[in-house]
Amino acid sequence: MNDELKYLSRRAATGLLTRREFVGRAGALGLSAVAATTMLSSAVRAAGPQKGGTFRMGLQGGSTTDSMDPALATNTVAVALIRMWGEPLVELTDDGGLEGKVAESFEASADAKTWTFTVRQGITFSNGQEVTAADVAATLDRHSGEDTKSGALGLLRDIKDVRVDGRNVVIELNNANADLPYLMSDYHLIIQPNGGKDAPDAAIGTGPYVMKSIDMGVRFVCEKNPNYWGDLGNAETIELVVINDNTARVAALQSGQVDLIDRVPPRTAGLVARAPGVTVASTAGPGHYVFISHVNTAPFDNSDLMMALKYGINRQEMVDKILFGYGTVGNDTPINAAYPMFTEMEQREYDPEKAAHFFKKSGHDGSVLLRTSDNSFPGAPDAAALFQQSLAGAGIELEIKREPNDGYWSEVWNNKPFCTSYWGGRPTQDQMFTTAYLSTADWNDTRYKNEQFDQLLIAARAELDLAKRTQMYADMSTMVRDGGGLICPMFNDFIDAYTETVGGWVEGVAGFSMMNGYAAQRMWVNA
């Protein structure tokens, strides 16, 4: 029986037998479905990836107002596309470390104020043009310029000077930063010809694929890049279809229209997982579903009103009824146990009496307007309704305005003073805080500006004592929790799903959903 199972697993791994057929035959030989799946996964890894075919993705988040300019990327679709045609200097490894992409190596001075990145020898852009250190320097310059709208602006504020020395790019900082290479992995900082100054949305980069068809907010097609410096992706073609409706996205997977989807609704994840030939992959991480308010705009500039809203949200109810177990309770800070220097804080609980107290103290009269959309996070309108109900228990009226999915990230998020949103998180506390809470950050979507916080953030970058640095990040989390505009009720698991038509999924990859956005390149189409 053992030899027959091995024979069947080899056939299934090479596409000569479907996953369903293998599990059925293994069951007839006395092997449980769980054991059969494990055996098949091992056989697939041993067989290695298959080349060719079209890998089809159905993703949420795209809209017609998006741009191919990586500086302006704001959603999952944009990140997935960037991963195909472009690369940053460095990228996260599966376990959260760093590996070179456009840069083959990097090193720091003893005081961590000067960093040198060496551009990979012989690397070219998809148009055949050689990549130079000048292209890298120009990229950093464009994303940090006075007129830039780049989401990476906050990460680059502390750069004092960038110079080119042969294949080396030397970055001098105003202050020491031991985490600078992690900042360079940000998905906005894609290396482009002349930094993208000439054609920022041309989608010319050093990635394994080139864009062949672009219908913004609808459908994209890319093919293998013949000039790619590294291992080419497994699929010959990748097709990405934007499906913002949760029901339609799941239906597209189950009907075989697509091979992989992201953001499986937690409410139906268990049901989806029971569908024949479908695997649901859940990965815990730093992603969080949030309500963000501009604390420089009335009425959210009233600290008592903000405290009323924070005590008026039932976090556990949100985790139970919105995440259905695929996540954990939040505490009004963007940092959770996924970060390397996390410190537990006293959990803020739902307290309608305290909420009513602070609301009365605020002097605010009337309702509070919240904008939401399914495009902000799965179940966001339902989460808004739960928030409305829990606030009503404190005598606070929440008015909900449901916005269109299309254009949400350009018209509502970071523009309107109170809305639902999500963050995928970042590899380190410094990167998360610098991207969204530093006073000068372009993506400071709560308009949190605190001089003491800024000073502490900069000081923590140079602190080599781990215990002291950990405490500094804990202090920053407390400052954001108590004085910021972030209402964070829950940290979500990343829930993706794929069919038996594709293989190669790797569990527990650090970063964003879909294997840090690289699933389409790393997985393969079964024969």
Side-chain angles (χ1 to χ4, degrees):
M1 183 174 68
N2 188 44
D3 290 340
E4 186 171 356
L5 279 171
K6 288 181 179 179
Y7 168 74
L8 291 173
S9 67
R10 285 196 299 270
R11 289 179 61 82
T14 55
L16 298 176
L17 197 67
T18 70
R19 174 182 176 276
R20 190 184 313 173
E21 289 170 336
F22 172 73
V23 172
R25 294 193 186 185
L29 293 171
L31 202 64
S32 69
V34 173
T37 300
T38 301
M39 185 175 187
L40 178 57
S41 297
S42 299
V44 167
R45 287 193 294 269
Q50 299 180 44
K51 303 291 184 179
T54 298
F55 193 105
R56 304 161 301 165
M57 312 169 68
L59 306 186
Q60 185 185 50
S63 67
T64 57
T65 57
D66 289 346
S67 170
M68 293 300 290
D69 180 358
L72 306 179
T74 60
N75 56 58
T76 307
V77 170
V79 174
L81 291 169
I82 286 170
R83 299 288 204 232
M84 294 176 199
W85 63 261
E87 295 173 316
L89 282 170
V90 297
E91 185 53 276
L92 293 180
T93 58
D94 287 356
D95 60 1
L98 288 174
E99 64 180 355
K101 288 295 184 180
V102 173
E104 65 181 15
S105 63
F106 55 89
E107 62 180 1
S109 59
D111 61 1
K113 292 180 69 173
T114 301
W115 286 84
T116 301
F117 292 82
T118 302
V119 174
R120 193 175 294 277
Q121 182 75 45
I123 190 172
T124 63
F125 292 111
S126 57
N127 62 1
Q129 177 183 330
E130 183 181 358
V131 180
T132 68
D135 294 313
V136 175
T139 297
L140 298 178
D141 181 65
R142 181 170 83 89
H143 287 267
S144 61
E146 291 184 3
D147 298 327
T148 187
K149 295 182 180 180
S150 174
L153 176 60
L155 304 178
L156 308 179
R157 291 283 193 186
D158 203 42
I159 292 180
K160 179 181 180 180
D161 181 60
V162 178
R163 66 179 183 271
V164 173
D165 180 14
R167 289 169 47 220
N168 295 327
V169 179
V170 182
I171 302 173
E172 288 191 24
L173 305 175
N174 290 309
N175 302 278
N177 191 344
D179 285 346
L180 181 73
Y182 281 96
L183 304 187
M184 294 296 106
S185 71
D186 188 270
Y187 58 83
H188 299 96
L189 298 177
I190 298 304
I191 307 305
Q192 298 174 271
N194 195 28
K197 293 182 178 181
D198 304 320
D201 59 353
I204 297 175
T206 64
Y209 290 86
V210 294
M211 302 304 303
K212 288 297 182 179
S213 176
I214 299 174
D215 188 356
M216 206 62 69
V218 181
R219 179 177 177 270
F220 306 83
V221 177
C222 60
E223 297 178 356
K224 282 187 175 182
N225 173 11
N227 298 315
Y228 187 52
W229 62 271
D231 293 332
L232 286 174
N234 294 312
E236 185 66 33
T237 304
I238 297 175
E239 178 183 0
L240 189 158
V241 181
V242 177
I243 312 176
N244 285 323
D245 182 80
N246 290 332
T247 302
R249 195 167 58 259
V250 171
L253 181 80
Q254 293 176 328
S255 65
Q257 297 177 51
V258 297
D259 306 307
L260 177 146
I261 63 172
D262 72 331
R263 297 172 77 173
V264 177
R267 179 188 298 273
T268 59
L271 182 63
V272 174
R274 291 196 293 273
V278 172
T279 298
V280 171
S282 176
T283 306
H288 43 295
Y289 294 163
V290 296
F291 300 82
I292 56 171
S293 56
H294 295 175
V295 290
N296 66 346
T297 304
F300 308 103
D301 57 350
N302 185 320
S303 60
D304 290 318
L305 176 64
M306 284 305 306
M307 198 58 72
L309 295 175
K310 291 175 181 179
Y311 276 114
I313 192 167
N314 191 326
R315 294 166 176 77
Q316 189 60 57
E317 183 181 40
M318 292 247 180
V319 171
D320 294 340
K321 296 182 178 180
I322 301 300
L323 296 183
F324 292 86
Y326 290 95
T328 55
V329 171
N331 202 15
D332 300 337
T333 169
I335 307 302
N336 69 347
Y339 287 87
M341 287 173 276
F342 171 71
T343 302
E344 290 279 0
M345 297 189 298
E346 181 181 356
Q347 178 64 51
R348 179 171 286 148
E349 303 286 353
Y350 174 52
D351 192 328
E353 290 186 4
K354 283 187 177 180
H357 165 76
F358 281 108
F359 186 72
K360 181 178 181 180
K361 186 179 177 183
S362 75
H364 180 75
D365 184 29
S367 63
V368 176
L369 175 62
L370 171 70
R371 300 171 191 272
T372 188
S373 165
D374 281 314
N375 208 355
S376 58
F377 64 79
D382 292 337
L386 287 177
F387 196 8
Q388 184 182 55
Q389 293 169 16
S390 63
L391 283 174
I396 302 171
E397 181 183 356
L398 182 68
E399 179 185 352
I400 300 173
K401 182 177 182 180
R402 192 158 181 168
E403 300 281 359
N405 287 333
D406 193 48
Y408 189 83
W409 297 108
S410 59
E411 303 299 327
V412 179
W413 175 77
N414 216 11
N415 285 293
K416 302 302 182 181
F418 194 31
C419 71
T420 56
S421 184
Y422 84 96
W423 278 91
R426 293 296 186 271
T428 66
Q429 279 98 325
D430 177 67
Q431 191 172 356
M432 186 68 240
F433 283 140
T434 299
T435 301
Y437 298 92
L438 187 68
S439 296
T440 54
D442 193 53
W443 274 17
N444 186 333
D445 59 5
T446 59
R447 306 299 190 267
Y448 180 68
K449 299 182 186 298
N450 184 312
E451 184 176 353
Q452 183 183 359
F453 176 92
D454 293 349
Q455 293 173 348
L456 194 57
L457 178 60
I458 292 171
R461 295 170 180 168
E463 180 54 66
L464 300 182
D465 185 300
L466 185 61
K468 290 181 179 179
R469 196 178 191 202
T470 298
Q471 183 58 51
M472 294 166 85
Y473 286 133
D475 292 342
M476 281 182 267
S477 284
T478 299
M479 294 167 73
V480 169
R481 184 191 68 166
D482 295 341
L486 175 70
I487 301 174
C488 178
M490 49 190 163
F491 284 87
N492 61 288
D493 292 351
F494 296 122
I495 313 176
D496 306 305
Y498 57 93
T499 70
E500 62 186 7
T501 57
V502 295
W505 180 271
V506 179
E507 296 284 350
V509 174
F512 300 112
S513 64
M514 297 183 300
M515 294 165 60
N516 196 27
Y518 288 102
Q521 293 95 305
R522 297 181 60 180
M523 297 179 73
W524 58 84
V525 181
N526 290 324

